[in-house]
Amino acid sequence: MDHLNKKENNLKIIYSGRYSVNEILSGPELTARRIFEQHCLREPSVFIQYFFDGRKFGLMKKLFGRDEELHERGRVLTLGIFRIIPELRKLKPDIIHLVTFERFAVIFYLYSLIFKVQIVFNSHGVIQYENKVLKDTPMLYSLKDKFCERIFIKHSDKIVFPSVNTLNIAGKYYIFEEETAVILPNGIDDVFFSEKKITGTSNRPMAVIHHRNELNNSGMKLLFDTLTTADLPIDVYVVTNSLHKLPENNKINFINVNPMMTSELAEFYRDKDIFLSLNGYDTFSISTAEAMASGLIPVITTETGVSRYIENGVNGFTFDHHFKHDLVKILSDIFNMPADKRALISISAQDIVKYLTWHSVYEMYVPIYNGIAE
């Protein structure tokens, strides 16, 4: 499908959330940029965000400010609170796609009470659950997040969840119509498919794990608790900005690595063998999908959303986060299996995610836009 259908030639879609120009992005930030970029390849569009950094921007900027930047064929507008509705009145969108959770977006729902507009909301994770169970979030911020998330879930025309896990958790906290929910994957940058994998360079397997923030703490705890005494000759690269006291083990070599830009990470993966995603809560894990596209064998918990793409022993391995000692068994099995079988699993891992390019993922949104525009 090369263009939005139409009923459509005049269908106007704008995007909102947080547009980050950094090269090292969180999953939601990456999704926001890539979906917006893919849409702008079809037709020019606008991305609306807020002056988030209170240390950088003063009160007048946060209330009445307006900055505009051009990015490819799109415009990124950073607006103060009182500039948003006037800007929407000028743009007259048919659809607002809120790609990341941001509290300022409550204004879009107020706008929708008066003016005809459909809203699509990407729920990358259930914020109320994360604040209550996984984070040490101050009460005031938790209450504001809960208020906004309730509005987003209840009043969006479509809610996009990255996995069944996320949908099920949302259902425990909020009531919403089943037909408003849809499950769509996140995407993978093309560079991870294009880098040719180096194989057979070492008899010592090399594994990679990412730790980005406190949502990943359960995975790091499982890693250190389980592998500290394991009798496995393996190198484990911990990609993180956080300070970790890496455990010592006579057989396992733990190595701290700083986060990398996309092209550097794709190159880094070329000679690695295994990717670990060990969290007790991970709504999708773009990093796992990127590693699979690079030919790494995924070893992940069933609580990781991307686990729905993995068939044990065929294109990777999954295990329940609560049965942590299964990790050692899986890694031992990988270490002891013939090289040709490991290579076959690696190829199968690449094959299963080859349809998750950002172009392909954007195409999955097109029927949603068309459907709610009817």
Side-chain angles (χ1 to χ4, degrees):
M1 182 185 301
D2 293 329
H3 301 283
L4 292 170
N5 292 340
K6 168 105 179 179
K7 9 187 167 176
E8 296 164 23
N9 288 332
N10 299 317
L11 188 61
K12 190 168 188 178
I13 304 169
I14 68 169
Y15 293 80
S16 187
R18 187 181 295 256
Y19 188 96
S20 176
V21 296
N22 295 327
E23 286 302 319
I24 299 175
L25 303 170
S26 69
E29 290 171 343
L30 182 63
T31 302
R33 266 186 60 173
R34 296 296 185 259
I35 295 298
F36 178 62
E37 289 166 355
Q38 287 295 321
H39 183 78
C40 288
L41 291 174
R42 311 295 186 94
E43 56 186 47
S45 186
V46 173
F47 193 105
I48 293 176
Q49 63 175 351
Y50 175 61
F51 292 98
F52 294 109
D53 193 341
R55 295 165 298 181
K56 183 178 178 181
F57 303 111
L59 179 62
M60 291 300 293
K61 200 78 166 173
K62 293 172 81 68
L63 293 178
F64 304 104
R66 185 186 189 278
D67 287 348
E68 179 174 336
E69 295 182 9
L70 297 178
H71 292 273
E72 300 297 333
R73 298 180 63 203
R75 291 186 296 145
V76 177
L77 301 181
T78 306
L79 302 174
I81 288 294
F82 293 116
R83 293 294 295 268
I84 293 174
I85 287 182
E87 200 70 44
L88 291 173
R89 290 295 296 133
K90 287 192 291 184
L91 292 169
K92 292 182 170 56
D94 299 297
I95 295 172
I96 299 173
H97 186 166
L98 178 57
V99 200
T100 68
F101 175 88
E102 307 296 344
R103 290 193 295 265
F104 83 90
V106 165
I107 291 176
F108 300 140
Y109 295 84
L110 293 175
Y111 176 86
S112 71
L113 294 175
I114 304 170
F115 304 101
K116 184 179 178 181
V117 66
Q118 309 296 310
I119 301 179
V120 178
F121 168 55
N122 279 71
S123 175
H124 296 279
V126 183
I127 306 300
Q128 186 181 171
Y129 169 79
E130 293 175 2
N131 286 343
K132 183 178 293 187
V133 178
L134 304 175
K135 296 180 180 179
D136 185 20
T137 306
M139 181 175 292
L140 178 60
Y141 288 101
S142 293
L143 290 174
K144 290 193 289 187
D145 284 345
K146 179 180 177 180
F147 172 78
C148 294
E149 188 173 46
R150 184 179 300 278
I151 289 174
F152 298 172
I153 294 288
K154 183 177 181 180
H155 297 289
S156 293
D157 298 280
K158 279 293 179 182
I159 311 162
V160 179
F161 295 100
S163 66
V164 175
N165 294 354
T166 318
L167 172 62
N168 289 340
I169 293 174
K172 295 177 182 178
Y173 288 87
Y174 301 107
I175 297 172
F176 52 91
E177 298 295 330
E178 185 177 339
E179 59 268 22
T180 65
V182 61
I183 297 170
L184 294 184
N186 292 321
I188 305 167
D189 283 334
D190 292 345
V191 66
F192 291 101
F193 295 101
S194 61
E195 289 290 343
K196 187 175 181 181
K197 183 168 174 57
I198 301 172
T199 57
T201 58
S202 173
N203 291 324
R204 187 179 175 90
M206 292 184 284
V208 180
I209 188 170
H210 287 259
H211 179 274
R212 288 191 171 89
N213 52 47
E214 58 193 322
L215 295 181
N216 306 135
N217 286 341
S218 60
M220 298 305 296
K221 185 176 188 307
L222 189 152
L223 175 76
F224 295 154
D225 287 352
T226 306
L227 295 190
T228 299
T229 58
D231 187 21
L232 282 170
I234 184 173
D235 294 334
V236 179
Y237 292 84
V238 182
V239 182
T240 183
N241 266 330
S242 303
L243 292 176
H244 289 288
K245 187 179 185 310
L246 300 179
E248 296 182 0
N249 181 298
N250 291 331
K251 289 288 185 72
I252 298 177
N253 185 26
F254 293 95
I255 306 156
N256 242 341
V257 180
N258 288 327
M260 291 159 269
M261 293 188 297
T262 300
S263 57
E264 295 173 319
L265 185 60
E267 174 64 27
F268 174 74
Y269 282 158
R270 290 183 66 205
D271 64 345
K272 304 306 184 291
D273 305 291
I274 299 166
F275 187 84
L276 304 173
S277 182
L278 309 179
N279 300 308
Y281 169 83
D282 201 326
T283 58
F284 184 79
S285 183
I286 291 177
S287 57
T288 299
E290 291 171 344
M292 292 171 69
S294 299
L296 278 69
I297 297 173
V299 178
I300 71 175
T301 58
T302 52
E303 291 81 0
T304 300
V306 77
S307 63
R308 72 180 184 270
Y309 291 96
I310 296 174
E311 183 179 351
N312 264 313
V314 176
N315 53 20
F317 298 87
T318 63
F319 67 99
D320 190 305
H321 178 80
H322 297 96
F323 299 109
K324 60 184 182 180
H325 293 294
D326 287 353
L327 173 62
V328 175
K329 181 180 184 307
I330 290 171
L331 292 177
S332 297
D333 289 345
I334 294 173
F335 177 74
N336 291 316
M337 71 176 52
D340 58 345
K341 184 174 180 181
R342 284 203 302 269
L344 186 59
I345 295 175
S346 170
I347 292 169
S348 297
Q350 290 176 305
D351 284 344
I352 197 66
V353 296
K354 65 184 179 183
Y355 300 109
L356 296 185
T357 65
W358 284 111
H359 171 77
S360 298
V361 170
Y362 172 78
E363 292 287 354
M364 300 177 193
Y365 282 90
V366 173
I368 294 174
Y369 299 148
N370 292 339
I372 64 176
E374 292 179 345

